[in-house]
Amino acid sequence: MAAAFVVGIDLGTTHTVVASAPLGERGEAGEITLFGIDQWVAPGELGRPALLPSVRYHPAPGELSESALPWGERAACDATEPPALIGVLARQRGGEVPGRLVASAKSWLSHPQADRLAAILPWGADDSVARVSPVTASASYLAQVCAAWNRHHPDAPLERQRLVLTLPASFDEAARALTLQAAREAGLPEPVLLEEPQAAFGDWVWRHRDHLAEALAGVRRVLVCDVGGGTSDFTLIDVEPPAPDAPAGTLPRLRRRAVGQHLMLGGDNMDLALAHLAERRLSGGGAAPPLSGARLSQLVARCRVAKETLLAEAAPESVAVTLLGGGAKLVGGARSVTLGRDEVQALLVDGFFPRVPVEAEPQRARTALVEFGLPYASDAAVTRHLAAFLRRSLLPGEALPDAVLLNGGVFRAGQLAARLVEVLAAWRGGAAPRLLQNADPDVAVARGAVAHALARHGRGPRIGGGAARTVVLLLDEPGAASPRRPREGGDPRPPAAGRSDACRAVCLLPRGTDAGRTLALDGRTFRLRLGQPVRFHLASLRGEAGPPPEPGALLDLDPDALHPLPPVATVIEAGEGSSARGASVTVRLEAQLSEIGVLALQAVAVDDTHRRWALDFQLRASGPADALQPAQALTDAQIAPRLPEAIAAIERLFGARVGESRPAPKEIKQLRQTLESLLGPREGWARPLARRLFDVLWQRARGRRRSADHERVWLNLAGWCLRPGFGDPLDGWRLGQLWTIFEAGVEHRDAQVAIQWWTLWRRVAGGLDEAAQLRLLDDFGYNLQAAEHPGAPLPPKPPGLVQGGHDDMVRLGATLERIPPEHKAEVGDWLLAPLQGEKVANASPERDALRLWALGRLGARQPFHGSVHGVVPAEVAARWIDALLALDWRRQRMAAFAAAQLARLTGDRVRDLDAARRAQVLDRLAASGAAPSWYRMVDEVVQLDAADEQALFGESLPPGLVLVD
């Protein structure tokens, strides 16, 4: 069936909007119009407004007669019961009932420290509320659009039309891929992706297409400033006017020049700022306890309405913001405060669009605008971020934009638009840029998506630009420094002369590469071992100025200028080439910006171009966000000069025996010392070296069966080289291989072997999924109960159980961050019991200290490797804090560590403890002489230093592994 319509969908943080244009039999296009989306707009009342609020309300059983549309189909992945309510009535109910509204799902798609495929929303909801993942929430909005469209166009189903789906220009490859996944789950296969600022400008161009040259006369550079509900997006578009002798009707050439970095900063932040103001007044200036996360979410919804009212043209002098009561006191328990027009306008205009010089830099100090688990921009000033973007996107001496298009619902407020134009005028020496009128910023993106699709087929002016950013492949070559994670607002220019921390990279996909063009790195090849994991690390350049590099160009870059992308990885099975150990295939890489706007990568065999392997982005993180890492393109000798000798030593002990004399027992026991004599102390083994050693050990895993000494040494080294179970993109593959030996247990029933068995699993637990950690929990519970209460009845013995002592089990239990919070609470209570008087066998001060350390790990507000949605509830952590406060911290030094982890400040109201308890902890930390860093983590939002990382993990981490909170 040929497409009958071109359809543009703006899947916004606040609203979802759909526009379309009919296609004639010969492909001619009709007028672009908005599509009214069916939704409940009031109890019992269906409507078709053009804006579908991008929110879900999860009703309690029997609460509403309205939920999903009576004729609509839900997304295949959405199985919540009762079905969720989506749209206007959902937003209304969310403002009345706390803890049941899913909002800002689009912002969660770009949250790197959350599992975006896990059911975590509504954030902070209690256990009685069904949860969905950010991907499922996004899919549900698209599914409602699809169902509504198909009801009104039964002969032209949405999934068979030409679809364009918009997203922030700053979305990285992971967020783009997750957006496409949401579309597929809604039944919309492979829509074309388009950046929102370009779509907004495309709508303006479409409206002026008949006289575009005149409309842009005198304009050479356009700034598109798109501030929506969840993000701020900046884009520069260069305008090349027609030549003086060009035929009449010749259009100017439009090409996107630069896009800004991801900024989680928009209308949601403004609503939150007003909610904080209202909360202070509701609490009598702080006399009452702060609102819970669910109640604050309810207040934010109320403040959103107040903001829109007070920033309107004919705004009243003030509005009342009412926070309804809960349960039976829904009305009787209501409280109200008044927000004045002038104070709200001053707070939002001066707070988010302050007058700053063009040299201004975003402030890096974290502000109070950190809520609901989302990592909002640390500086709420849009104008400071804009100044940094322009400075990094233009070469010295280049002119600032002489025209500006403002888009997003925020700029419906004339005061905010006027202030931004005023700031731009000041930067231009008093000359205000031309303001390109955007009649309806709420719907311009959806309309522009349709215009883009029509322009691709020659039916309107087209905006060039191709790839939004240059993508580079990071290299690790002799003399190249190990790159680190970039700071906010990095500069992509080469490092200053003499700087030693340059990062070497090769250009994979230059900015501006057109969709569909394949680029091959012919000048660089990679040797991949068959049957072994291979990974490549990519990054995009931030704020590029000037022409992009050529494909394959070798670059020395400032590490701060690189935005890490999800790694790409594959395993080429030995059956596809040779089965011999050590066999390899030589490949080159090919990159392409696909027609739908997604980066696609392949490894191509040099000797046979028909042999290709797709390199897939890894979207589900197995651990914390990590530093930039280089491509795996090194020989063993390049990783470490004497690594081949080390591999030979491992081969001699664990490899196949072919006519060689058996190693002496002393040689087996001294393997670690042998490796350290060749490679240096093992604490200094960098991750590429450690992972290569693990791969060598795993290939020879059967050799551990030869004796108890073989097995003990193998387990010790394997765990050390794979710790902490994440950090390298192929660690998931490695853990999958290693887990296959768990059920069988150890080969030799030896006490030292058992200790090393549990040491291995404790060291790598960070890379295990929830199911594997729950399996470890079974053995943990059995062994700990047997150790503490000998002779008492025990639960059924887990299959293949390896006995473990008290200390090994406590250390293991501390690492199980992915088990459900209710299991963590049970384990934590178990750890505390002996400290509260319960009699256990072989109690000692040393064991008490170990239990306290484990309690701090298990209840930490900021997990070491788990997702933020899996932390122990704040009320459980508060109960544990109360127990710790009853201890003598001068005698129980580790109580201070545990309390600091439990009371650590994250900025997320759902996870953080109440201010009163944190104040108690701060007082005790100061009185007990605890480490200053422990005090700081309770008093302010901070990142752990190396010493605290080691204290948290229990031993040193591989060099180069950086935990980013």
Side-chain angles (χ1 to χ4, degrees), residues 15-200:
H15 293 99
T16 296
V17 186
V18 179
S20 67
L23 295 173
E25 293 182 359
R26 291 176 293 181
E28 68 277 10
E31 180 184 358
I32 298 177
T33 59
L34 297 176
F35 172 70
I37 306 172
D38 300 80
Q39 57 193 288
W40 295 107
V41 296
E45 181 184 347
L46 282 172
R48 292 190 64 197
L51 275 61
L52 174 73
S54 301
V55 294
R56 294 168 50 103
Y57 179 77
H58 292 194
E63 177 185 350
L64 295 174
S65 59
E66 308 87 1
S67 53
L69 292 175
W71 40 262
E73 295 183 3
R74 293 194 280 172
C77 57
D78 185 5
T80 54
E81 290 295 340
L85 182 67
I86 296 172
V88 172
L89 184 57
R91 183 173 59 186
Q92 175 186 324
R93 290 295 295 165
E96 297 168 349
V97 182
R100 292 186 172 273
L101 189 72
V102 174
S104 302
K106 180 177 173 181
S107 296
W108 282 93
L109 288 180
S110 59
H111 189 344
Q113 293 166 22
D115 186 344
R116 292 160 282 186
L117 299 174
I120 61 177
L121 303 178
W123 183 249
D126 63 43
D127 293 339
S128 66
V129 180
R131 288 182 172 87
V132 294
S133 72
V135 170
T136 297
S138 301
S140 69
Y141 309 144
L142 293 173
Q144 179 138 333
V145 166
C146 187
W149 175 277
N150 291 348
R151 179 172 185 257
H152 295 282
H153 302 89
D155 297 328
L158 186 61
E159 59 270 22
R160 298 185 181 179
Q161 309 312 303
R162 294 180 184 171
L163 299 180
V164 179
L165 182 62
T166 64
L167 38 65
S170 54
F171 260 22
D172 66 12
E173 293 303 318
R176 287 169 179 258
L178 290 167
T179 303
L180 280 177
Q181 180 171 334
R184 287 192 294 270
E185 291 181 359
L188 303 176
E190 303 302 306
V192 172
L193 299 182
L194 177 66
E195 290 87 0
E196 290 162 1
Q198 184 171 336

Side-chain angles (χ1 to χ4, degrees), residues 537-712:
H537 290 265
L538 310 180
S540 61
L541 301 189
R542 297 168 177 252
E544 302 171 69
E550 292 295 321
L554 196 61
L555 309 171
D556 287 314
L557 299 168
D558 182 343
D560 291 334
L562 298 171
H563 172 75
L565 297 177
V568 293
T570 191
V571 176
I572 301 176
E573 297 300 335
E576 300 179 35
S578 169
S579 59
R581 178 183 293 170
S584 62
V585 60
T586 302
V587 303
R588 60 178 171 83
L589 298 185
E590 287 186 356
Q592 182 189 72
L593 184 69
S594 72
E595 290 293 341
I596 64 171
V598 174
L599 178 63
L601 296 172
Q602 286 190 323
V604 183
V606 172
D607 59 357
D608 182 1
T609 58
H610 293 94
R611 299 175 66 200
R612 294 171 174 265
W613 299 271
L615 298 173
D616 298 322
F617 285 103
Q618 296 190 326
L619 302 179
R620 186 189 287 271
S622 62
D626 194 11
L628 293 163
Q629 291 297 320
Q632 188 183 53
L634 304 181
T635 65
D636 289 337
Q638 287 175 314
I639 293 175
R642 303 189 70 181
L643 178 55
E645 296 175 64
I647 293 174
I650 295 173
E651 170 69 19
R652 172 169 165 75
L653 295 180
F654 295 101
R657 292 174 175 170
V658 183
E660 293 186 9
S661 60
R662 293 190 176 187
K666 184 177 180 181
E667 186 178 351
I668 299 169
K669 295 177 181 179
Q670 293 181 345
L671 177 60
R672 171 183 162 183
Q673 291 91 319
T674 300
L675 296 179
E676 288 187 314
S677 70
L678 295 169
L679 305 173
R682 67 175 185 169
E683 289 79 6
W685 295 352
R687 192 188 326 153
L689 171 59
R691 295 308 191 259
R692 177 67 180 123
L693 288 173
F694 174 84
D695 293 341
V696 170
L697 288 163
W698 179 250
Q699 290 169 357
R700 298 153 178 83
R702 296 184 64 180
R704 76 185 192 281
R705 302 173 180 174
R706 293 171 182 164
S707 71
D709 284 339
H710 278 87
E711 187 164 21
R712 176 182 55 80

Side-chain angles (χ1 to χ4, degrees), residues 146 200 257 275 338 410 449 640 686 688 811:
C146 187
R257 176 194 179 117
T338 298
V410 163
R811 291 190 180 96

Side-chain angles (χ1 to χ4, degrees), residues 273-290:
L274 293 179
H276 284 156
L277 174 62
E279 182 186 25
R280 286 194 295 272
R281 293 181 179 174
L282 285 169
S283 66

